Structure formats: structure tokens, C-alpha cells
Amino acid sequence: MSDASAETSPATTSAFAVLETLVARGLEWVVVCPGARSQALALAAATLEREGALRVVVRIDERSAGFTALGIGSETGRPAAVVTTSGSAVANLHPAVMEAHHAGVPLILLTADRPEELRGIGSNQTTVQEGMFGASVRWMREVSAPEDGVVGAQTAQTVAHGAWSAALGQDPAVPARPGPVHVNLAFREPLSSSHRPRPTVVTMETPTPVKRTALTLERGPRTLVIAGANSGPVAEQVAHEGGWPLVAEVSSGARFGRNLIPHYRAALADTELTDAVERIVLFGHPTLARQVPALIAGRPDINTIVVRSGGEDVNPGHAVTTFTDEVSISSGETDRAWLGAWLRVGAAALSAYEAEQAETSPATRAPDVAAGRSADAASKRAFVAAELAALRTPVTRELLVDAVWRATWPHDRLVIGASRIIRVADRVVPGKKIPVFSNRGLAGIDGTVSTATGISLASGALTRVLVGDITLLHDVGGMWAEPGHPQPRLQIVVANDGGGTIFDSLEVSATADQPDFDRVMLTPQNVNLSALAEAYGFEYQRASTVGELDQALTQPGLRPLLIEVPLER
Ligand SMILES: Cc1ncc(C[n+]2csc(CCOP(=O)(O)OP(=O)(O)O)c2C)c(N)n1
Ligand SMILES: [Mg+2]
């Protein structure tokens, strides 16, 4: 195959034009996967990184690359670009594209393709890439193989501008929501040249402002603010200004503040409270508590206002009355009794939970500090014994999420995988203003480690990934990182209960043939996680007691760390 040429290649000229235009618009990260057809884009990205214009992450597996870019987009609010070769490489982006679509995360795909004359004739690594992602992309452009450097570069510029605007939901012609966009670029041989074209003179245009709808709310009606995944701190701000109770899921980004209802499920189960709701202001994508969609769908008399967050419009039972892009608070008295009633029910549920925990797990009992300071030897001994018992307490799921929550600071990042662990966290962890991420667009167990890698690289922050064992194994490839390049600062905490134990809560688990159920639903696994960690250059620690877990979580390490926490089924 004649590919690289010392002469100029229109492929290389267009590749630089695409990337330089995106850089002019704000592109910082390109995730590159290897392949021949995409060589012009990959090599241009590497050159631009050496010139200090952008940063490159290399991924072997395109599925992992897609999720890495998704993580970067979630962290920064700006799209990363992913470069792939043609064929099944492109299809491997699909899971991340779907998540980006449903969660409203900006993402730009730059996929290389064969030119027209090589399509549909059984050429190697050639399929129908145009429209491959269907309705999951906001915008798609097919770019035919550039014949001439100048024309190719012009076309590339136009396409790059369009892609950037569409990915951010700033193109008036596409929905005003961030999401994935697809640029399919055909390249003809020579597929690249070593010649560095003159830097692209990027023509900037003033974008047409996108219309956003805004709604002003009076304080008066008895209002409940609900924050689903990816709501952001605005949900807390609205609850605070309105003086309304706030129900905030663990990955909402709004689980903090004085209006937060602890143990909110108890409050949502209290019909005296829910019967009195007159208005709901819903942010983000609620996925963790059945009571939320049930309340909205079951009570069409409630004025439910959905504040759009980027993903698909949330509309349980088609009972939503209003969709808007933003809300503000106008006037009216704060209804202190309303907020107080919700807070009281939440506080009572929290106390009950704490009492129950103290019964079952000594680790959760507050240390008796007075006894520790006491001069009396007997009380001192009792204090030390109690402290030791606490440290030796076996880790439960509740203690695990609690320890991870306590160890995480606002300058860290926390990524929580789907399945049981996020549900437990949502039930028990208190308010704390820390950045929490979770792929709740489709709640897939795929790509979790890769997403965290993108978040860590883009933020430079220590990123803790709390996942189930099957969720980790689904994305083992995400543990790979390029040797000799900046490594993501990852701490993977695996809740290892030997399979997908979430399915034990299904009704069918009681009636199905037990060995069959275990084999096809639980999918038991006994992977040696210590060997796995070693294979990928991770440090490994096993933590089965609260003491070991606290110590592992706070251990300073230069290498990424995998903490295995054995749990009962
Ligand atoms: C991509 C994808 N495939 C399948 C599922 C269905 N699924 C949900 S949870 C789960 C098992 C997860 O097991 P694990 O990570 O060990 O968590 P646990 O349930 O044990 O807490 C599966 C297969 C999914 N959500 N996403
Ligand atoms: Mg499991």
C-alpha cells in the first residue's frame, strides 16, 4: 500500500485544517486510535501536540477511546475529538456515542473512511459508515476524499466549525443540547505526507445565538426540587433561593446544602408530604429512585417543570407540563413550614439508619473521646478495644461507600459504576460538595474505567472509581495507559462479590433454577485481581476490614492503585 509520501498530501493538509480549526474553537484533547486510513489525522494530532496546540491520548481499543473522550467532555464541558480508522473500529465508538447522546455530553468523532470508488466492492476494512450512529448523533457530515490541498482545507474548516458548534448545541439548526457529532472523512492515497502544511488561517464567524427558554417562578406553591444525574450545582441554587426541599441523587452534582433532604426515599414514601406537593422542578436525569418517576407520572395535577440538561427530555408518564432551559426565582415569601416538614422526615430517617448501623457495625459508632482521654486505665482499655474492633469490622457495602465518600475531597473526582454500589451510595451518603460522575445516560456497566481515565487526564485530579467486579471486568482494557506519557491518577475500588449480584433482587431469583440463574444472570467470576493489577502496572491492595480500607484509600502512591474489597453476595 502506498501511503506516506514526502510530497504534500491533500489528506495531511485537510487533517491539519480540521484539527487546527477545532483548536481555534477550543479543542484541547484528541483521543487517537491506531490505523492506516486515519494516519493523516493521527500524525497531525501528534505534531500539534508537540507544537503545544493540543493534547493527545492514545488508546488501542476504540470503545475505550470513546469513553475516554466522553470522560473528558463530562469533566470540561467541551468536546474531545476521537480519531479512528475505518471499518469495525468506528462501530466500537457506538456505546460511548449512545451514552453521550442520552447524557448530553459533547463529543466529536473523526472517522477515516475509504473514498467512494472503494466502497461497496468488498474492499478490506470497508463498510457503511455514513449514518452508522443513526439518531444518536446530533449532526453528521460526510467529507469526500480531498483531491486538492486548498479545496480540501476549506471544506475541512467548514466541517470543523459545524462539528464544534453542533457538539456544544450552539448551532441554531440542531437541538440546543450538547451531544455527539460524527464527521466521516474519506482519504485517498497517499494517505499522508511528512510535510507539515502552513498553519491554517482559521476564519472565525460570529455564531448565531441559540434561543434558550427561561421561566421565572414565584416562591409560593409547595415546590419540590429534584436533582437527577448531571443536574449540576444549579439545582441546589434554585432550591436554596426558593426555600424548597431538595431531593438530590448521588451523581447529581447538587447533593449538598441546607435544603438537602437526607435519606430522601423516606420523605418520598411519606404520602402526607407527597400529597401536598403542588409543583416539581426537575433537573438532570433521575434514575436511582423509583419513587421519582412514580410521583410525576402518578400525579398529573402537579405542575412538573423540567429544566433541560442536555440529554433526552425526561417525561415520566408524559405528565410533564413544562420544559424550559433555565429557571429563576422572582418573589414571594419562603414557606419555612414546608421545607421544615421535609427536613424533619429526612432527619428522622437518617437517625434511624445511624442507630441500625451502630447495632450491626461497630465501625460506625462515634468514638468515645472522653474515654480515650480518661486517666482511668479501665476506660482507656475499653476505648482502645472499641477502636480496634471498629478497625477490624468487616467492610459492608454501606461502610464501603461511606469510606470512599469520606476519603474524597472537592479537588478529587469520584466515578461510580452502575449496579448495586451506586444505589447503596444514593441511599446512605450525606451531602458533600464533591464532583461525582456516573454514566447514567444509559446506566451501562461499560466504559467506566475509561470514562474515569478521561476525567482524570482532563482534570489532573486523583480520580476514584468505585465499581462492581463485573463492571470492572467489562472495561479491563481501560486500565491500559501509554507507557512514557502522563498517566491518569486512578484509584479503582472494586466491590468484589463474585458476580452481578444486583440480579439477586429480581423476583425471578426466587423461582428460577438456582444453578441456571447463577450461570446466566449472576455470571460468577473468579478473576485474580491482584494479577490483573500487576499486568496493567497498578499497585494492588486487598481491604476486607474498615481499617485496611481507610488505610488503602488514603495511601499516597505514584502508581495507579486497585483496591479489592471482598463482599458477601
Ligand atoms: C453494557 C451493559 N451490559 C449489561 C448491563 C446489565 N447489567 C446491569 S448490572 C450488571 C451486573 C453488574 O455486576 P457488578 O458490576 O459486579 O455489580 P453488582 O451488581 O454485583 O453490585 C449487568 C450485567 C448493563 N447495565 N450495561
Ligand atoms: Mg458484583
Side-chain angles (χ1 to χ4, degrees), residues 481-495:
E482 298 173 75
H485 285 270
Q487 303 289 305
R489 296 175 57 209
L490 287 186
Q491 200 180 77
I492 302 177
V493 186
V494 191

Side-chain angles (χ1 to χ4, degrees), residues 65 165 167 213 305 370 395 430 446 538 556:
S165 298
T213 51
I305 298 159
V395 182
D446 44 354
F538 276 60

Side-chain angles (χ1 to χ4, degrees), residues 67 70-71 74 99 103 105 229-230 251 415-418 422 437-449 451-452 455:
F67 280 105
L70 178 87
S74 302
E99 176 61 27
V105 178
N230 299 326
S251 58
V415 179
I416 311 182
I422 192 167
F437 296 81
S438 186
N439 287 335
R440 299 308 293 174
L442 288 176
I445 59 164
D446 44 354
T448 312
V449 177
T451 305
I455 290 168

